[in-house]
Amino acid sequence: MPKKSSAKPVPQPGSSDFIVVSNRLPVDRVSSEDSDAGWRRSPGGLVTALAPVMASRDGAWVGWHGAPDEVLEPFHHENMDLIPVALSADELELYYEGFSNSTLWPLYHDVIAPPEFHRTWWDAYRTVNQRFAEAAAGAAAQGATVWVQDYQLQLVPRLLRRLRPDLRIGFFNHIPFPPPEIFAQLPWRREIISGLLDADLIGFQRASDTANFLRSARRFVGAGVKAPRVQLKDDDGNPAHIAQAAPFPISIDVAQIQELAARPDVIARAKQIREDLGNPKTILLGVDRLDYTKGITHRLKAYGELLTDGTLTVEDAALIQVASPSREGVESYRLLRDEVDGMVGRLNGQFDTIQNTAVRYLHHSYPVEEMVALYLAADVMLVTALRDGMNLVAKEYVAARASNTGALVLSEFAGAADQLKSALLVNPHDIDGLKATIMRAVHLPRTEAARRMRAMRRQIVTHDVQRWSEDFLSTLQNGTRQE
Ligand code: G6P
């Protein structure tokens, strides 16, 4: 049964000391049998890390609740005040599917898909960012801290600063920030950079993302940069607000993954998965949102060639590919789905036997228990993103492998490569290199696997998402980073 929202009074305007603003609220709607809608906390590290801060600091979360054309009053759920922002169906198309996911997303991911630039999308992005800023301004107590999340809301720091100069404002970009040579394409590049620079602290995943942003700040708005400080000038050219920009690589809820990985039912489920696949010598696993940035087609191509040239056989190996449905209203995602469906169909048609399958393709989302069982079952984890802000799946796999077995093949274009230096790093565009690395992972000697996994686990266990949020928030509070 989903937990019902409690009877605690709805958040009072102007009473929250700590506010998170993100495109989506951290809850999913669940309808129970009596058709009375309730809410369940969404899976994911961000809400896990921030829920305790919410509870201790009279916190509120501002975000869209997931249904178009529906206006909801603020409500209380599991110690969090939730403030829903309404989006019309038109705004969803122009702001979310359009500017956020067909302009910014491909632009920020190295133009893997061509970004589209439409003025109507930009107008909707501005309008919706203003609405989020007003919702946060209305909820914030005097001098409150507001933490804005991700690329959908890059104008919020500036819009909010105008409404409420008393606030301390942080921003974290979960996806890459592109080099200025690519960012330059954006017709509204000045507005985006200025929108961000009114924050006090702007966080990125990688040092390279931070450097890209600072170069763009200098180039496109003439900001004075002395890293980590970056200073805007006002209309008369006088020095104005000073922001800080720095990397804060996000992580996962390590304790949760470790607990699940030790649970007897999850371990039994992992065994069952192996058996259901016919006990192949090697199980390879890919887990992604079905997104063109994830390099799923590159992975399938490499795997298909290994089957074609006989280096792998379906009796020896099986690939499980979980691809959770994502952004299905966007054309490039629909095209990718057709492409992946086609590739998997061809591979399975050619290589499956009655007992064995080449690719077990699952176009679904799964609860975290099942994901951890898959991590335990997998000998080789394949993370072949062409560009990825971080990639938390790579970190979850490492956190689950308490036995120090298993191999992680990790794209150097994922932010996680900065922390997981003992992974088998690959350039997924290099199909021969990818094939060779997959085979290296399949045959990795136990001692080498253990050495690599131990080193990666040391990093993950000491850098969980809790530490990430504490690090960001204390830097935002104190103005300087506490090492
Ligand atoms: C990425 C983004 C998030 C986004 C998520 C799912 O991780 O950084 O901001 O929420 O993808 O995408 P969706 O469009 O379904 O929110």
Side-chain angles (χ1 to χ4, degrees), residues 24 96 101 105 150-152 174-175 289 327:
R24 287 182 190 275
Y96 171 74
N101 289 317
W105 182 269
D150 229 355
Y151 64 102
Q152 303 94 341
H174 291 250
I175 69 172
R289 272 187 313 104
R327 304 177 190 163

